[in-house]
Amino acid sequence: MESYRTFINKDVDFGASDAKIIKTDSVVTAPWVRWKCRYGCDGYNSSLCCPPSTPVHRETRELLDSYKVALLLHLAGNIKRSADLTEIAVTLERDLFLAGYYKAFAMGAGPCGLCPVCSMGECRYPEKARPSMESCGIDVFSTARNNGYTIEVVKDYSDKMNRFGLVLIE
């Protein structure tokens, strides 16, 4: 099987700022995260990749605990959309699977952008659609900080935005 380093390089080739291999026990889950989605995000209940259709933090913790490592993807700056990072994560998930990492699973950033309006029934793009880290109860700020990244609340459009995605590997 190809080494993890190969996939870090692919991540950057696909347009991410950088990536690193992390231990899944450094990923923080918490119940408050989905509450922020529910009371604060206009995308709540607008797609199958957003709450309440996504797993709660306990289910996500259980999933994370069945892996040892993950690839934490980072996209810095205000140029690209969150959907771009999700597309990168899904592409890496497929590449990892084809390289023999059969358990590979991706989580993106932000709401799904594949359809103008979600069917809310059967997904039209199940091979491309993935929930965001935050929609599954992952505290992205704590997870990023646990793994050496600086991330702050964006206060206006001139602030640098940092987005993160995750690909579970084993």
Side-chain angles (χ1 to χ4, degrees):
M1 287 195 288
E2 295 178 63
S3 75
Y4 297 144
R5 172 67 46 202
T6 302
F7 297 99
I8 290 173
N9 294 337
K10 282 185 179 185
D11 173 53
V12 174
D13 289 345
F14 293 151
S17 303
D18 60 276
K20 58 176 71 171
I21 297 296
I22 66 167
K23 293 184 178 194
T24 55
D25 62 6
S26 71
V27 178
V28 178
T29 59
W32 67 264
V33 180
R34 283 176 44 113
W35 284 75
K36 291 289 284 184
C37 290
R38 187 174 185 175
Y39 301 103
C41 179
D42 60 4
Y44 182 80
N45 202 22
S46 65
S47 107
L48 295 171
C49 290
C50 286
S53 298
T54 54
V56 297
H57 75 284
R58 287 181 304 281
E59 293 172 290
T60 301
R61 180 79 262 156
E62 200 173 301
L63 173 70
L64 291 166
D65 289 346
S66 69
Y67 291 82
K68 291 184 179 92
V69 297
L71 185 59
L72 184 61
L73 315 175
H74 176 226
L75 184 61
N78 297 334
I79 298 169
K80 299 199 180 224
R81 302 173 302 117
S82 295
D84 297 331
L85 185 59
T86 301
E87 184 178 344
I88 292 167
V90 170
T91 300
L92 286 168
E93 174 194 304
R94 178 169 166 66
D95 288 353
L96 281 155
F97 175 79
L98 293 173
Y101 298 98
Y102 66 93
K103 287 173 58 176
F105 183 77
M107 291 183 211
C112 182
L114 292 172
C115 301
V117 176
C118 183
S119 71
M120 297 302 287
E122 191 170 320
C123 181
R124 292 180 277 250
Y125 300 102
E127 74 284 358
K128 296 178 183 178
R130 295 296 182 278
S132 66
M133 293 170 66
E134 59 273 19
S135 75
C136 295
I138 294 176
D139 178 344
V140 176
F141 280 75
S142 292
T143 299
R145 289 173 180 156
N146 282 351
N147 289 286
Y149 287 103
T150 301
I151 181 173
E152 300 299 331
V153 172
V154 174
K155 296 177 183 147
D156 63 51
Y157 289 106
S158 65
D159 287 351
K160 178 181 172 185
M161 185 175 284
N162 287 284
R163 295 178 181 97
F164 292 89
L166 192 69
V167 183
L168 301 170
I169 308 170
E170 189 127 352

